Amino acid sequence: MNVIDTTPSLALVLAIGVLFAAGVYLLLERSLTRVLLGFILMGNGANLLFLVAGGRSGGAPLVGTTPEDEMSDPLVQAMVLTAIVITLGITAFVLAMAYRSWQLHGHDEVQDDLEDRRVARHAARNAPAFTDTDSEESGETLDDEAAQVRDETGTDSADGTDGTDGTDDAEGRTTREPR
Amino acid sequence: MLYVLLAHLAMALGAPALVSFLGRRAFLVMALAPASAAAYALAWTERVMHGQQPVQVVEWVPGLGLELAFRMDTLSWLMLLLVGGVGALVLVYCSAYFSRTAHGLGRFGGVLTAFAGAMVGLVVADDVLLLFVFWELTTVFSYLLIGHYADRKASRRAAMQAIVITTAGGLAMFVGLVVLGVQAGTYRLSEIVADPPTGGAVTAAVVCILVGAVSKSALIPLHFWLPAAMAAPTPVSAYLHAAAMVKAGVYLVARFAPAYADTTVWRTIVIALGAGTLLVGGYRALRQYDLKLVLAFGTVSQLGLIILLVGLGTRGAALAGLAMIGAHAMFKASLFLVVGVVDAAAGTRDLRRLTGVGRALPWTALAGGLATASMIGLLPFAGYVAKEAALEALLHTDGPRWVALVVLWSVVVGSMLTVAYGLRFWWGAFWSKSHLHAPARANEHVDLRPGRGPLAESDEPPIDPARLRRQPVQLVAPALVLAVLGLAAGLVPHLGDRLLAPYADTYPAGEPGHLVLWAGVTPALGLTALVLGVGAVLFWQRSRVERFQASLWRILEADVVYRRVMRRLDDLAADVTALTQRGSLPFYLGAILVVLVVGPGGVMFARTAWPRDVTAWDRPAQLVTVGLICVASVLAARSRRRLKAVLLVGVAGYGNAALFLLHGAPDLALTQVLVETITLVIIVLVLRRLPPYFSDRPLAASRWVRLGVGVGVGVVMMGLALVAPLARIATPVSVDFPAEAYEYGGGKNIVNVTLVDIRAWDTMLEISVLLAAATGVASLVFLRTRSGEIMRARDARSATREGAGVWSDGTDPHAALRRHGVTDDAQPRMVVWLNAGRTLAPRRRSVIFEVVTRVIFHAMIVFALFLLFSGHNAPGGGFAAGLVVGIALIVRYLAGGRYELGEAAPIHPGILLGTGMFLSAGVGLVSLLLTGKALYSQTFDLHVPVLGDVHLVTSLFFDLGVFLLVVGLVLDILRTLGAEIDRHAERAETGRDPGEDTGPFEAMEPDAVGGGRR
């Protein structure tokens, strides 16, 4: 049971369909200007959709001017009103981006993300996307690796040298933090 | 117990400060924390032995049933003693081990103390979730300690490997613990074990818990992280990787064994992995040359043995296992500390290079000898007592005969390997090897080359024993203390028996075992003799053993398998990323839209009831408007010329406004017309700088795809428009809006009252979006400051003097003609309205436009104010009024250029935006103070002498805020996309900055750099 009369009007439905179709067609372009225009068209379509969902047409929702049972739904109108103004803000923002893109690259086309492309190239030839010490096989044995790791040890010997100095030179490979 | 934990926490947090204050001696202070844990355990010894278990419960998150529950039974007592005692000794050792100048000591000390605290919590936690928290804390601290030398690749890799493996196991364990807790109806560990739930889910949970234990205690096939973790500083190896953390898995197995050791899956896993680890670890330990690696593989082997014993499920084996835990902690920690001493003295841990160390460091050699004796199970050391009890228990195991035999003989063979690598360790560390001459090449540099196989001698020269230095007492004492304790514990086996038996007796099956030093001539003694004999032979024939091991086909090591798996994982991740993250905006949008069409759209067309009655149109005029919109949209989509496309989209927008009006929404129509106008102007303003035509898309096919997606979305949306009204079956909130608007909101225009009163919160958030958008626009175009300075007419260089004014294009074919009759740049005698007009290039000025502007500007402002104040009762309101003022500003800008804009609105748009937001939010705040409700309208009826009665609603101020914010938005857009872009353009054309504010950052602007403009 419908509490309110919500009979949709086919004319509005058609307008919604065309606005969305044209909007999406433009949205899938690469030129930011076209994307923006597509966005505006879709926004108009969405606003109409709200209106249709709000119910049948009626008089202006002004108390005293229109009898209450003949009014159109004021709630959707309040929502759509702010949506319209926000669309203006978004439009300006995308325009600024288009301009910036033109400033930087000489065109306003959205380019593919370079990092994603790099990942795809690496994946295609099965090369590691980054150097990962966890997955490479060095071919060294555990003993070899262990020999490279020594602690920063030291004793309190009176002459101030630490207990390992006799062999440090011979090894020439202690990975001691330079100080 | 809580205080012990807090002591660790405080000490860990204070460690960096302590180290910076006391230097490495701070470790002596830090040792107090784990010492307190050991002291606590010792103080409770008597009572715990008699079954009095201290319990402490603190509410943590009552809603989730999380509690800080602690309990200390015999097992916890043993673990606490080991963790605290070994921890204190290791920290004392640290105070002499590291050089004074070693880096990161504060962090190291803090993390090590924190680890000790986490370990304490782990072994006394009685809540399984709390146990898990401490478990993961030990994992994280272990990661930090292994990776202590973060500048070394080997350290980083070992740390990463350890955390990946142990965290994966920890997660599995977490799942198991939660399932177990849910099945048991309690998360209290002691209650679960006392009354274990059963069933298929519980079996799975137990397997998950075992996975956690296996990963933490480095059992095969996950054992490889432990040898790699030897990249950690040696004290860490002694503490974490011998005494404490790797025992966490053992602890877990021992904890759950009384409940689940009789299940088949438990026995299978414990026996297979325990015995396998015992043998693999021992075998690999015979092959290593690095002393730490020998010990590490030895630890792996011993952990397998201990898990086998405590997990087997009989009382005798459990008692032997507990004794083994204690013995192992003492001798293995001691051995690691000894290696640290040797390493510090000799500068290497390679047993092919060490010689004569025993003579130079006799006390160290003694400690190492005692600990080794305990490890290989010589009479009368603790290791002997434990192993003897183990053999005795295994000889009397129930169950299938062959299983018992397999277990027994794996332990025997594993012990033989233990004897062999134990002797090899001590020989390697301390023996004076006659075949190693001490050549006087100590000061030559020798290249580092990888070893050439097990038989190869080290490429490096052996050390010179004469240069070995005595080590301080703090270094040697901890190892010696632990080693002597191993001997002492072995001498009083009945004490250990009395201390440990209470826990072993909680196991349901098997005869109780006994710890004795001498049980007479038994089969177990015979086996021990056999073990020692064969082990000694294996050591004696060590070069043959090495040759034998080298000649075997080496199976794939687990470490290599792990790395390959990680590599495949990286590959897979890259492939998935490459497949889904194409980096193409049209692809992403298309994917989203296709999902919309196929998913919700498909469901809608397949399953939804369609409305029975539809009208073709509400009013005939709709048809004409809709036709206009359709044609304009399609043509806009097909257009290749930017301007044409923009104008057509504008037509569609105005058509929308007409539809709004026909639908009965005058406010919407008004707003739409105003917004559409502003949109058109600003797009055209930007289009001045963009190429006139869209670039061609190379692929014609993609056009058809886009068309297909577009039509699909259009059809789905049409369907939605038909279906959506049917969904409104509840009474809408808006039926009461007329009455509410008039009575509470005090206005007749319901839409406006809805915006500023009924749904004022929405509006407030929406205008904050506008504010953000305006800020974003400005920051994208203004590069130096947020929005630059206000350009006033007096700042402009005179157009005539400088030759080119605003919008000059650089060339003026009629310039010569214009010179006539132009009064030079003398200031006008009287104040001229629109006086920035003279800053324009002469041929850009339009007399008619300027005159019209003069006529209509004030009228528009008055109209805007009318809309603002009448908006509460008639179409209009803050949004519409703000937009009208915006259009008035646009007219001024178009007539007089950017300096005129500064004249028209000599105010920073940021101030307008901020004031607007402040007013709107302020109304809410004031009403909050007055009535206790935010954004609640108040109505005042004032009597003003001249005007008469004034009906004032507070929401008017809210609307005023909206108005100011919208004006600020339009002004910001105009200054940015109009004025600032003008400036950029003129600079690009004339090659110099037309502005007045040449700043130091000018050269950094991208379009000064070129950027490939065509």
Side-chain angles (χ1 to χ4, degrees):
Chain A
M1 179 207 80
N2 283 355
V3 206
I4 44 172
D5 183 7
T6 54
T7 316
S9 125
L10 281 182
L12 289 183
V13 172
L14 177 70
I16 292 168
V18 173
L19 281 172
F20 264 101
V24 167
Y25 180 79
L26 285 173
L27 188 74
L28 295 180
E29 285 272 1
R30 280 189 181 270
S31 159
L32 262 179
T33 314
R34 274 190 158 164
V35 171
L36 174 64
L37 294 179
F39 182 79
I40 294 177
L41 287 180
M42 281 174 66
N44 285 339
N47 288 342
L48 281 185
L49 185 59
F50 259 76
L51 216 57
V52 172
R56 56 154 175 72
S57 67
L62 301 173
V63 178
T65 312
T66 316
E68 275 189 30
D69 52 350
E70 285 177 22
M71 283 183 190
S72 52
D73 190 348
L75 181 61
V76 288
Q77 295 185 22
M79 291 177 176
V80 171
L81 201 151
T82 47
I84 293 173
V85 184
I86 287 185
T87 308
L88 172 66
I90 301 288
T91 304
F93 188 74
V94 177
L95 270 175
M97 281 211 296
Y99 175 70
R100 189 89 184 105
S101 164
W102 173 84
Q103 239 185 347
L104 291 175
H105 307 296
H107 57 74
D108 68 339
E109 302 200 346
V110 190
Q111 298 300 302
D112 280 358
D113 190 280
L114 290 179
E115 179 62 21
D116 283 331
R117 295 269 290 276
R118 196 179 71 83
V119 171
R121 274 202 311 276
H122 281 291
R125 57 165 199 267
N126 261 349
F130 53 93
T131 51
D132 177 10
T133 51
D134 211 31
S135 59
E136 65 191 33
E137 289 176 41
S138 56
E140 291 190 332
T141 65
L142 277 171
D143 275 309
D144 297 330
E145 281 178 7
Q148 295 169 38
V149 178
R150 283 212 53 238
D151 300 335
E152 294 170 309
T153 56
T155 52
D156 291 327
S157 43
D159 55 0
T161 57
D162 70 18
T164 62
D165 60 348
T167 49
D168 268 359
D169 298 341
E171 283 184 88
R173 62 179 185 188
T174 44
T175 45
R176 200 170 284 222
E177 183 84 346
R179 298 218 139 249
Chain B
M1 275 172 266
L2 210 52
Y3 293 114
V4 175
L5 280 174
L6 288 176
H8 281 89
L9 180 64
M11 198 63 89
L13 292 178
L18 274 177
V19 168
S20 65
F21 197 62
L22 294 172
R24 61 181 187 175
R25 282 191 307 279
F27 283 105
L28 293 173
V29 182
M30 287 179 231
L32 291 176
S36 74
Y40 181 87
L42 283 176
W44 276 86
T45 308
E46 265 317 298
R47 280 167 284 180
V48 170
M49 247 197 307
H50 292 101
Q52 273 183 305
Q53 300 168 353
V55 177
Q56 203 170 9
V57 179
V58 182
E59 291 273 308
W60 185 14
V61 190
L64 292 174
L66 283 183
E67 298 168 325
L68 302 180
F70 303 102
R71 170 189 293 272
M72 186 164 71
D73 64 353
T74 307
L75 179 62
S76 300
W77 172 85
L78 173 67
M79 294 297 296
L80 194 56
L81 198 58
L82 293 178
V83 167
V86 177
L89 288 174
V90 165
L91 280 169
V92 169
Y93 179 87
C94 283
S95 71
Y97 180 71
F98 291 105
S99 72
R100 294 174 195 283
T101 54
H103 75 291
L105 276 192
R107 172 174 49 109
F108 177 81
V111 175
L112 194 57
T113 315
F115 169 82
M119 204 60 216
V120 167
L122 170 62
V123 296
V124 295
D126 195 26
D127 185 291
V128 288
L129 298 178
L130 188 62
L131 175 104
F132 174 75
V133 169
F134 284 120
W135 183 280
E136 289 297 293
L137 278 180
T138 62
T139 301
V140 172
F141 292 135
S142 153
Y143 167 77
L144 294 174
L145 290 171
I146 297 173
H148 176 63
Y149 297 109
D151 50 335
R152 300 178 189 167
K153 193 172 163 185
S155 296
R156 288 198 303 272
R157 183 162 75 194
M160 186 53 91
Q161 205 177 50
I163 198 171
V164 166
I165 304 253
T166 48
T167 309
L171 283 176
M173 184 188 89
F174 181 58
V175 173
L177 290 178
V178 169
V179 171
L180 202 58
V182 170
Q183 294 287 325
T186 173
Y187 284 102
R188 200 61 76 77
L189 191 51
S190 48
E191 293 172 13
I192 293 175
V193 175
D195 183 17
T198 52
V202 172
T203 308
V206 167
V207 172
C208 286
I209 292 174
L210 280 178
V211 169
V214 164
S215 70
K216 197 78 160 182
S217 284
L219 261 52
I220 55 168
L222 304 176
H223 62 282
F224 52 89
W225 72 262
L226 185 55
M230 292 302 128
T234 303
V236 173
S237 306
Y239 189 33
L240 272 67
H241 305 133
M245 189 178 82
V246 290
K247 294 284 168 57
V250 174
Y251 169 77
L252 201 68
V253 169
R255 195 43 92 194
F256 283 101
Y260 293 107
D262 53 346
T263 55
T264 316
V265 59
W266 175 285
R267 286 177 68 93
T268 314
I269 292 178
V270 163
I271 291 177
L273 297 189
T277 308
L278 172 62
L279 298 177
V280 167
Y283 178 80
R284 287 287 304 268
L286 282 174
R287 214 171 75 196
Q288 306 301 326
Y289 295 110
D290 188 285
L291 289 178
K292 270 177 93 173
L293 286 178
V294 174
L295 290 183
F297 279 107
T299 307
V300 168
S301 165
Q302 297 280 307
L303 286 170
L305 172 66
I306 298 174
I307 289 227
L308 183 64
L309 290 176
V310 297
L312 206 55
T314 65
R315 290 177 187 171
L319 184 64
L322 293 179
M324 200 70 205
I325 292 177
H328 179 255
M330 287 184 276
F331 67 67
K332 194 54 67 66
S334 170
L335 288 176
F336 270 113
L337 297 183
V338 161
V339 170
V341 179
V342 172
D343 192 11
T348 181
R349 300 183 302 264
D350 193 330
L351 56 77
R352 293 167 298 186
R353 298 177 55 208
L354 290 167
T355 178
V357 179
R359 282 204 194 117
L361 306 170
W363 286 103
T364 312
L366 174 66
L370 293 177
T372 307
S374 183
M375 175 159 81
I376 64 180
L378 274 187
L379 200 82
F381 290 89
Y384 166 80
V385 174
K387 207 164 282 182
E388 202 59 13
L391 291 174
E392 187 66 33
L394 293 178
L395 281 169
H396 298 102
T397 313
D398 307 329
R401 186 89 193 115
W402 67 271
V403 175
L405 278 177
V406 164
V407 173
L408 179 67
W409 282 102
S410 0
V411 172
V412 170
V413 174
S415 302
M416 292 171 181
L417 295 172
T418 307
V419 172
Y421 73 71
L423 291 174
R424 181 165 175 269
F425 167 82
W426 196 82
W427 165 83
F430 299 107
W431 204 255
S432 300
K433 294 153 192 136
S434 53
H435 64 282
L436 291 179
H437 310 290
R441 297 194 298 152
N443 288 324
E444 290 175 22
H445 285 276
V446 179
D447 290 339
L448 168 63
R449 286 190 297 273
R452 291 189 302 264
L455 274 183
E457 289 296 319
S458 173
D459 297 328
E460 311 264 333
I463 61 158
D464 180 4
R467 305 192 56 149
L468 288 173
R469 219 177 276 279
R470 283 286 168 90
Q471 296 297 308
V473 66
Q474 296 107 298
L475 269 189
V476 184
L480 201 56
V481 166
L482 284 170
V484 170
L485 276 177
L487 175 60
L491 290 175
V492 284
H494 54 279
L495 181 64
D497 197 300
R498 224 155 57 80
L499 286 170
L500 300 178
Y503 189 74
D505 289 343
T506 63
Y507 281 62
E511 294 291 311
H514 290 289
L515 298 178
V516 288
L517 201 51
W518 181 253
V521 181
T522 58
L525 189 68
L527 284 174
T528 303
L530 180 68
V531 163
L532 288 174
V534 175
V537 170
L538 279 176
F539 167 68
W540 178 43
Q541 294 293 333
R542 56 189 175 275
S543 45
R544 277 169 205 256
V545 172
E546 284 180 17
R547 261 197 297 271
F548 170 71
Q549 287 205 359
S551 70
L552 279 186
W553 172 69
R554 204 179 281 185
I555 58 163
L556 217 48
E557 286 169 14
D559 183 46
V560 177
V561 175
Y562 168 81
R563 287 183 200 181
R564 288 191 185 158
V565 167
M566 293 310 268
R567 176 72 191 278
R568 293 280 174 283
L569 206 59
D570 284 353
D571 277 351
L572 183 68
D575 287 345
V576 170
T577 309
L579 196 66
T580 55
Q581 305 292 309
R582 299 280 193 80
S584 151
L585 182 64
F587 176 79
Y588 292 152
L589 289 174
I592 294 171
L593 292 168
V594 167
V595 169
L596 170 78
V597 171
V598 174
V603 172
M604 185 177 72
F605 284 111
R607 311 289 301 255
T608 317
W610 296 96
R612 281 202 205 90
D613 50 339
V614 290
T615 53
W617 59 78
D618 297 319
R619 290 174 193 157
Q622 273 185 338
L623 274 187
V624 182
T625 323
V626 166
L628 188 69
I629 291 178
C630 292
V631 172
S633 308
V634 171
L635 288 179
R638 287 171 53 85
S639 167
R640 285 204 57 247
R641 203 178 150 86
R642 274 176 215 266
L643 194 59
K644 181 176 154 198
V646 169
L647 291 176
L648 286 167
V649 168
V651 168
Y654 285 120
N656 245 29
L659 284 184
F660 289 148
L661 196 60
L662 291 172
H663 200 80
D667 278 289
L668 289 193
L670 179 61
T671 315
Q672 175 82 25
V673 166
L674 296 173
V675 163
E676 207 55 53
T677 308
I678 297 178
T679 306
L680 260 180
V681 173
I682 60 172
I683 295 185
V684 171
L685 283 178
V686 174
L687 285 195
R688 292 176 302 169
R689 299 282 279 157
L690 297 178
Y693 288 94
F694 293 116
S695 49
D696 278 326
R697 294 295 300 274
L699 280 176
S702 79
R703 194 185 307 155
W704 291 104
V705 174
R706 279 180 282 132
L707 188 62
V709 177
V711 170
V713 172
V715 171
V716 167
M717 284 302 159
M718 287 167 75
L720 191 62
L722 288 173
V723 171
L726 288 182
R728 303 196 57 176
I729 52 171
T731 310
V733 288
S734 52
V735 290
D736 295 328
F737 273 20
E740 286 175 359
Y742 194 65
E743 285 165 26
Y744 303 115
K748 292 179 183 161
N749 182 355
I750 305 173
V751 175
N752 183 262
V753 176
T754 308
L755 283 173
V756 300
D757 187 328
I758 302 176
R759 298 189 61 81
W761 275 118
D762 287 1
T763 313
M764 218 174 91
L765 297 179
E766 278 150 0
I767 58 175
S768 58
V769 172
L770 290 183
L771 193 146
T775 312
V777 172
S779 46
L780 271 172
V781 175
F782 285 98
L783 299 171
R784 286 161 300 174
T785 59
R786 184 198 161 277
S787 51
E789 292 170 21
I790 298 164
M791 302 172 186
R792 299 298 296 266
R794 61 175 176 271
D795 302 325
R797 296 184 184 101
S798 166
T800 43
R801 193 178 59 215
E802 295 290 331
V806 174
W807 294 333
S808 67
D809 277 0
T811 56
D812 186 357
H814 307 298
L817 298 174
R818 275 184 223 286
R819 304 301 294 176
H820 297 287
V822 175
T823 50
D824 211 8
D825 54 332
Q827 284 293 322
R829 274 183 301 267
M830 55 185 182
V831 175
V832 178
W833 198 76
L834 208 70
N835 73 358
R838 65 196 166 77
T839 63
L840 289 186
R843 68 192 182 101
R844 295 296 180 193
R845 296 183 71 170
S846 155
V847 174
I848 295 176
F849 197 7
E850 286 182 17
V851 169
V852 169
T853 306
R854 282 179 208 194
V855 173
I856 66 168
F857 180 78
H858 296 97
M860 288 177 78
I861 299 293
V862 171
F863 178 56
L865 293 178
F866 169 76
L867 285 178
L868 175 64
F869 289 106
S870 74
H872 222 50
N873 296 315
F879 280 113
L883 292 170
V884 169
V885 171
I887 291 178
L889 290 175
I890 289 177
V891 171
R892 282 283 289 273
Y893 164 71
L894 292 179
R898 63 175 179 273
Y899 294 104
E900 186 57 35
L901 185 65
E903 289 296 310
I907 185 169
H908 207 289
I911 295 174
L912 286 177
L913 292 167
T915 313
M917 199 70 217
F918 177 77
L919 263 182
S920 300
V923 170
L925 197 63
V926 168
S927 71
L928 184 71
L929 294 176
L930 288 180
T931 66
K933 293 177 190 166
L935 295 172
Y936 192 82
S937 286
Q938 300 288 310
T939 313
F940 300 102
D941 286 306
L942 303 173
H943 185 76
V944 183
V946 181
L947 294 172
D949 288 327
V950 173
H951 180 76
L952 193 63
V953 187
T954 51
S955 55
L956 180 64
F957 292 99
F958 186 91
D959 221 8
L960 198 61
V962 173
F963 166 74
L964 287 179
L965 201 137
V966 173
V967 173
L969 169 72
V970 179
L971 184 60
D972 219 349
I973 293 174
L974 267 184
R975 286 167 41 78
T976 311
L977 299 182
E980 182 68 8
I981 290 184
D982 287 348
R983 225 170 59 79
H984 289 179
E986 281 167 33
R987 192 175 57 213
E989 278 152 12
T990 60
R992 65 182 167 78
D993 186 13
E996 52 290 324
D997 49 351
T998 312
F1001 302 110
E1002 206 70 12
M1004 291 171 62
E1005 288 197 23
D1007 77 341
V1009 185
R1013 219 176 299 109
R1014 281 153 216 149

